[in-house]
Structures are given as C-alpha cells and as structure tokens.
Amino acid sequence: MRWVDGGTFQMGSDRFYPEEAPARPVHVDGFWIDETPVTNRAFGQFVDATGYRTLAEIPPDPKEYPNMDPAMAIAGSLLFVPTPGPVDLSDYSQWWTFSFGTDWRHPHGPDSNLDGLEDHPVVHVAYEDAVAYARWAGKTLPTEAEWEFAGRGGSATEYAWGNELAPEGHILANFWQGPFPHGNTLDDGYERTSPVRSYPPNGYGLYDMIGNVWEWTSDWFAQPRIEQKRRGSCCIPANPRGAMKRESLDPTTPWMSIPRKVLKGGSHLCAESYCQRYRPAARHPQAIDSSTSHIGFRCIIRTSRASAQSSRSHKS
C-alpha cells in the first residue's frame, strides 16, 4: 500500500460529462491505498482462505427479479464482445452479453481460465464481492473523493500525467484505441486487461488508476451534491460522501429498484470515440448486483501514517 497525504483539491470537471460537474473544492484526510487494483492472485488467496463464492457464481433468485425469464436464472456475468462492424452507440446491448458460466475464474467466457492472468486485475466482481474481500483484508473501499484525490496523483490536470491523452504518442494507460466497439487497433498491446504495473505510476506511486478496469467506490451515485456553507464561511467540505441510497436509483428505469455505486478510473473499453472516462474526474454508475469483464477494485485503510506503520512493525 502507499500512503497518500490528505489535502484540498478541485473535485470533478466542467469540461466533459454533466455528471462530473461542477468542479468544486473538497478536502480529504490522509489514507493508505493499494498500489494496484486487486489481482486474480490476491483474490484467489481470499477465496482459498474463506471459501467465498462471488455473486456471478451463484444463480440469481427469480423472486428478486419479478420480470426475469426463468431460463436466465443461471450463474454468469456480463461479458464484452466486440461487434463485427460499426453499430449504434446508443445501444450497449450490441456489445454486452450476459454470459452463463462467466465469472472471476473464467473471465473471458465459460471455457476460459486464469492461466497467465494471475497479475491482471480481478474482474466479474460485484460490489458485495469487493466489500467481502476488503473486510477479510482488514481494509475498506475508498469514497469517491478519496479515490479521485489519489487518482490525480497530486496533479490538477485532466489526466494524471498532463492535459494530453497520449503525449507525443506515448500511451500511458490501458484504454481502447480506434473506433469502438469493433476496431481496437491494440496500439497499447492489450485487447482486454493488462498486468498491473504495465504502465508508469502516478505522482503518488499508484498504478492503473486510469484505464485497465473500472474500480468500485463506497459512495452511492447521483449528481454531485454541493454542500451549503453558512454565510460568510470559508470552510471547504471535508471527507465528503455521496448521495443517499434512494437517490442512486436509475430514474430512467423506475421499474427497477437496484441502487447504484460510483465507479472510477475508466477501463480498457474507454475510447475517444465513445467513452472518454479515462480521467480522475470521470465517474460512472453501476448497479450493485452487477459484475462485468471490465470492473475491479482496490482498497484503502483510514488511519494515521504513524499508527499504521507502528502496527505493521509490531506484527512483523
């Protein structure tokens, strides 16, 4: 883990997507954060120690999904499948499919395995799976503000490395190059996830904060709430939290009552032609009961640097 000193920063952005605005000053206290996303190797150690089964490994209960086709009550997860050519980008069902038998052990489909992927980020983990791992490890998931502060690496630029996505042609994160969702040119060398530490770390020594996989945070998703300050107050909101659970429900699907959490960091599927969310300020809602082939997580510990170091010295 890496220690990140607390501080004040401009959270959000006014330049890209409406759910990121407005940019506003917030303060976070210091914390320890995983240097990389949780890998298949690390998640496997958790499963071996506990016998844990992820949500994608358990058939859904039709009672919890009144409109579910009974034929769909089979364990699985959402899998990205590139299209053969250009498609209507407003219809994501053309490249996402619910794949039976796909889970963290079988990340590319039911017949795949983890051979050679031990140091890739674990995927097909729902929110409750990330929480379960964090508890076992004695950690927790970051808030959106903590994640974004760490993701910026001390920089105030659009990307942690500057204001250009690929400065002088150098690709500094795992994202999609070419027309989405059919023409990945693989300029970065990876069709799907990449091993952690494949790209340079940010200013805090953290890897893959941008691209590779989206990462779960503990905050409920809604339009950013701007905390009201007392007249004449100069105080900046400290350690802000997200919306209320009820506010995270998707207003476009009132027949579904599944709350959503904030994802951060973008993934290997973010493209200039479709989803420019390979930035620290970017955010995306994700239903807590869903897992996909491009979502992972990392953990934090909220404690003072001195106390954490003292604890580690005592244990060793």
Side-chain angles (χ1 to χ4, degrees):
M1 302 188 81
R2 291 276 183 164
W3 172 257
V4 174
D5 282 323
T8 299
F9 73 109
Q10 283 291 115
M11 184 175 179
S13 173
D14 297 318
R15 293 187 55 197
F16 286 85
Y17 297 101
E19 70 271 10
E20 302 170 15
R24 66 277 184 197
V26 302
H27 178 89
V28 294
D29 295 332
F31 53 92
W32 292 92
I33 184 168
D34 289 344
E35 195 173 86
T36 72
V38 174
T39 63
N40 287 311
R41 188 190 309 278
F43 198 79
Q45 293 170 347
F46 157 61
V47 171
D48 289 345
T50 63
Y52 184 84
R53 295 177 68 201
T54 61
L55 195 65
E57 298 173 278
I58 303 171
D61 184 352
K63 295 179 181 178
E64 297 180 4
Y65 302 91
N67 298 320
M68 172 185 282
D69 180 347
M72 294 291 290
I74 303 174
S77 185
L78 286 167
L79 180 66
F80 172 80
V81 179
T83 60
V87 295
D88 179 2
L89 294 181
S90 66
D91 181 9
Y92 59 82
S93 68
Q94 295 179 93
W95 56 85
W96 283 110
T97 182
F98 189 83
S99 176
F100 299 141
T102 295
D103 52 48
W104 78 274
R105 300 178 192 270
H106 309 92
H108 304 151
D111 296 326
S112 64
N113 57 52
L114 294 177
D115 291 350
L117 302 178
E118 293 84 0
D119 294 321
H120 286 235
V122 66
V123 291
H124 298 294
V125 284
Y127 180 73
E128 65 183 59
D129 304 325
V131 170
Y133 174 93
R135 287 174 177 166
W136 171 79
K139 304 177 184 181
T140 191
L141 296 182
T143 65
E144 180 180 4
E146 288 168 332
W147 193 102
E148 185 170 332
F149 184 83
R152 289 182 177 276
S155 170
T157 54
E158 291 294 347
Y159 310 101
W161 51 80
N163 286 315
E164 293 183 51
L165 176 59
E168 298 183 353
H170 296 298
I171 297 176
L172 301 176
N174 182 354
F175 60 90
W176 182 289
Q177 296 91 49
F180 183 87
H182 65 283
N184 193 342
T185 60
L186 304 182
D187 291 345
D188 60 3
Y190 299 101
E191 181 180 5
R192 301 185 181 92
T193 59
S194 51
V196 299
R197 300 186 179 88
S198 293
Y199 298 91
N202 71 8
Y204 293 148
L206 306 175
Y207 294 85
D208 290 326
M209 293 297 284
I210 297 301
N212 212 356
V213 293
W214 282 101
E215 298 183 14
W216 289 106
T217 73
S218 61
D219 282 354
W220 298 110
F221 181 91
Q223 189 66 23
R225 179 188 294 113
I226 307 304
E227 297 186 23
Q228 297 298 316
K229 297 183 293 185
R230 295 191 305 271
R231 180 175 298 178
S233 171
C234 62
C235 295
I236 293 173
N239 302 311
R241 296 305 308 267
M244 302 292 289
K245 182 177 181 179
R246 65 177 182 274
E247 296 175 302
S248 73
L249 301 179
D250 188 348
T252 67
T253 56
W255 57 89
M256 297 178 65
S257 57
I258 302 172
R260 303 175 297 168
K261 292 287 186 175
V262 176
L263 298 180
K264 297 288 283 185
S267 80
H268 59 279
L269 299 182
C270 285
E272 285 190 89
S273 61
Y274 175 66
C275 174
Q276 298 178 29
R277 291 185 171 88
Y278 29 56
R279 298 169 291 103
R283 58 203 302 264
H284 189 69
Q286 183 69 23
I288 60 173
D289 69 339
S290 296
S291 60
T292 76
S293 55
H294 72 333
I295 297 176
F297 69 101
R298 78 179 71 209
C299 305
I300 70 166
I301 295 177
R302 295 188 191 98
T303 185
S304 71
R305 186 174 191 172
S307 63
Q309 290 174 328
S310 175
S311 175
R312 288 185 176 189
S313 297
H314 176 72
K315 289 179 180 179
S316 62

